[in-house]
Amino acid sequence: MTVHSEQLVYQGPGGPFEGVAAWDDATDAARPAVLMVPNFLGQKPSDTRIVERLARLGYAGLVADVFGQGKRTTWESPDPAIYMNELNADRPLLLERLKASLAALAALPQADASRMIVIGYCFGGKAALDLARGGGDVLAAVSFHGLYDRPPFETQSPMKAKVLVCHGWDDRLSPPETLVGLGRELTEAKADWQLLAFGDAGHAFTDRAAKKGEGFGYDEAADRRSWAALRRLLRELFGDLNEHADD
Amino acid sequence: MTVHSEQLVYQGPGGPFEGVAAWDDATDAARPAVLMVPNFLGQKPSDTRIVERLARLGYAGLVADVFGQGKRTTWESPDPAIYMNELNADRPLLLERLKASLAALAALPQADASRMIVIGYCFGGKAALDLARGGGDVLAAVSFHGLYDRPPFETQSPMKAKVLVCHGWDDRLSPPETLVGLGRELTEAKADWQLLAFGDAGHAFTDRAAKKGEGFGYDEAADRRSWAALRRLLRELFGDLNEHADD
């Protein structure tokens, strides 16, 4: 098994965009594929590690870029949220860019366009939900410590994508009340949805670089359990691929 | 492998009580043990099947009786909730009976008293939470479509038992607001707790005899996913026993 990852430049409204695609070279067959939407900083090495991990499990993966080539920030940037804020103010544009990213994934010879899902972290979790809301051609959407405010466009109903929401109960950006609102929305949309919430975990619980504090930061148990939940959903959808590759 | 189950009469306040114990005869070793608290009707064949299923997986199981020997109802009884209502009105007595049931399980030669958990369904889910709240000697408490109102006694803090709450989002007896209250309680108690909630599922989602209706009834996906969540928690606590016995 050789996991291969490379930059992928693709077009879309406001592009070009630059993501990172990953797959296992051991086979030529088209395989189930995962679009991964990063947090507000945009694509970075820790995101590449996630799609490489999925590649080891037998999937094709693409780290989406919804900001545009070269538009990246770090925690130390003067305004780390600058690109996210632009898209939070224009959710229909975010949706178009998500669909362009999904199309770029679907166009990979390694990806089976009929078997795709979207996952996302933080702002990317919101984006994953938006792609499901907006009728993106995905079988599932998984949000890790996402944000639950509704976009101005209508939520697809019945929602085609299964939804899994992985949530830290203490999330200082997404208090329980917002979760109750999301539950109502997804129920009204007749989605097959699940919520997995973790006590004593906050926003960014998967992010090893985020120091644990009030309602925020890395939590080993929540990270491990939410990853396992993603794998279960993948198994439920696609059966076992390389089941034990990252045990 | 031979799964063995038999009635077990034991003592406690308001007793005698009659539960059903189950284990696999293939070994003499003491093994991790599960106390299972039935719904408001009390011990019945479907409960026995649950502990037998756990026995096949390598655990010792006991269907608890918290009502008293012979005190059982069915949906057709004039007042099916008569025994539950008595205990809802006296939660400290419920707790004493739960502790007596746990002691009966611990006394079985097949059970390892240092490795016990409690699970429960509906009223039994509330009971499982009460045993954790009341400092019962269990490593975990799992509630399936339980009820979340607090008992009059104090919740142990820090709570020793890990808690897993499996919940149908539409549960007509436990609306999302009660769940938010439980989350607050468990967080204040510093519990290691998780919530797994299912869209389009209501109260009694594990109960094949409960016809699906408004906020109520059997749901195959929620039943399967919540059982899988119990098994994951058991594996997390005790490692693999007979891992594939009920796949």
Side-chain angles (χ1 to χ4, degrees):
Chain A
M1 183 199 312
T2 316
V3 165
H4 176 86
S5 59
E6 63 178 36
Q7 288 154 304
L8 179 74
V9 175
Y10 58 94
Q11 299 304 319
F17 301 97
E18 182 183 314
V20 175
W23 60 83
D24 179 349
D25 262 340
T27 170
D28 287 332
R31 64 212 79 178
V34 180
L35 184 70
M36 184 280 188
V37 191
N39 72 3
F40 74 122
L41 302 172
Q43 186 269 318
K44 54 197 162 308
S46 60
D47 300 319
T48 301
R49 283 196 292 276
I50 289 173
V51 290
E52 287 178 343
R53 204 170 165 190
L54 290 165
R56 271 195 298 280
L57 290 168
Y59 303 93
L62 174 65
V63 182
D65 172 19
V66 290
F67 297 148
Q69 209 170 14
K71 294 187 173 175
R72 309 284 183 267
T73 55
T74 67
W75 284 99
E76 292 72 33
S77 300
D79 183 359
I82 181 170
Y83 301 122
M84 173 178 78
N85 289 342
E86 285 174 20
L87 288 178
N88 273 336
D90 191 347
R91 301 275 284 274
L93 179 60
L94 170 59
L95 179 60
E96 284 185 61
R97 291 182 178 177
L98 289 165
K99 288 186 173 176
S101 302
L102 190 66
L105 174 60
L108 290 175
Q110 293 81 11
D112 178 346
S114 70
R115 295 187 293 167
M116 299 191 295
I117 76 163
V118 62
I119 71 175
Y121 295 78
C122 173
F123 167 74
K126 176 197 290 206
L129 293 171
D130 270 11
L131 191 54
R133 288 166 167 138
D137 197 13
V138 288
L139 299 176
V142 182
S143 163
F144 296 88
H145 43 81
L147 295 114
Y148 310 131
D149 54 300
R150 291 180 77 156
F153 52 83
E154 217 168 318
T155 298
Q156 182 189 48
S157 176
M159 187 177 277
K160 199 188 79 176
K162 292 174 192 279
V163 174
L164 171 64
V165 178
C166 297
H167 177 79
W169 197 257
D170 301 336
D171 192 318
R172 69 181 183 203
L173 300 184
S174 298
E177 293 68 29
T178 66
L179 205 54
V180 172
L182 179 68
R184 198 177 304 118
E185 178 194 350
L186 294 173
T187 297
E188 285 169 8
K190 299 177 180 46
D192 173 1
W193 70 272
Q194 295 177 79
L195 162 68
L196 181 56
F198 308 103
D200 191 35
H203 197 73
F205 61 75
T206 65
D207 186 350
R208 284 167 198 269
K211 194 167 171 293
K212 193 154 180 169
E214 196 66 39
F216 183 83
Y218 184 68
D219 183 88
E220 190 278 326
D223 184 26
R224 174 171 39 84
R225 289 165 173 170
S226 61
W227 181 258
L230 167 63
R231 293 193 50 191
R232 284 195 301 282
L233 184 68
L234 287 166
R235 274 201 300 275
E236 190 173 307
L237 289 167
F238 307 123
D240 284 345
L241 303 177
N242 293 327
E243 171 71 4
H244 296 293
D246 85 340
D247 281 351
Chain B
M1 183 199 311
T2 316
V3 165
H4 176 86
S5 59
E6 63 179 35
Q7 291 154 303
L8 179 73
V9 176
Y10 57 94
Q11 301 302 320
F17 301 97
E18 182 181 315
V20 175
W23 61 82
D24 179 349
D25 262 341
T27 170
D28 288 333
R31 63 212 79 178
V34 180
L35 184 69
M36 184 280 189
V37 191
N39 71 2
F40 74 122
L41 302 171
Q43 187 269 316
K44 53 197 163 308
S46 60
D47 300 321
T48 300
R49 284 197 292 277
I50 289 173
V51 290
E52 288 177 343
R53 204 169 166 191
L54 290 166
R56 272 196 297 281
L57 289 169
Y59 303 93
L62 174 64
V63 182
D65 172 18
V66 290
F67 297 149
Q69 210 170 13
K71 293 187 173 175
R72 308 284 183 266
T73 57
T74 68
W75 284 98
E76 291 72 32
S77 300
D79 183 359
I82 182 170
Y83 301 123
M84 173 177 78
N85 289 342
E86 286 174 19
L87 289 178
N88 272 336
D90 191 348
R91 301 275 285 274
L93 178 60
L94 170 59
L95 179 59
E96 283 186 61
R97 290 181 178 178
L98 289 165
K99 289 187 172 174
S101 302
L102 191 66
L105 174 60
L108 290 175
Q110 293 81 11
D112 178 346
S114 69
R115 293 187 293 166
M116 299 191 295
I117 76 163
V118 62
I119 70 174
Y121 296 78
C122 172
F123 166 74
K126 178 198 287 206
L129 293 171
D130 270 12
L131 191 53
R133 287 163 166 139
D137 198 13
V138 288
L139 299 176
V142 182
S143 164
F144 297 87
H145 44 81
L147 295 114
Y148 309 133
D149 54 300
R150 290 181 76 157
F153 52 83
E154 216 168 319
T155 298
Q156 183 189 48
S157 178
M159 188 177 276
K160 198 188 79 176
K162 290 173 193 281
V163 174
L164 171 63
V165 177
C166 297
H167 177 80
W169 198 257
D170 302 336
D171 192 317
R172 70 180 182 203
L173 301 183
S174 297
E177 294 67 29
T178 66
L179 205 54
V180 172
L182 178 68
R184 199 177 304 119
E185 178 195 349
L186 294 174
T187 297
E188 285 169 7
K190 300 176 179 48
D192 173 1
W193 69 273
Q194 295 178 79
L195 162 69
L196 181 56
F198 308 103
D200 190 34
H203 197 74
F205 61 75
T206 65
D207 185 351
R208 284 168 197 268
K211 195 167 171 291
K212 193 154 179 169
E214 195 66 40
F216 183 83
Y218 184 69
D219 183 88
E220 191 278 327
D223 184 26
R224 173 170 40 82
R225 289 166 174 170
S226 61
W227 180 258
L230 167 63
R231 293 193 50 190
R232 283 194 302 282
L233 184 68
L234 287 166
R235 274 201 299 277
E236 191 174 308
L237 289 168
F238 307 123
D240 284 346
L241 302 177
N242 293 327
E243 170 72 5
H244 297 293
D246 85 340
D247 282 352

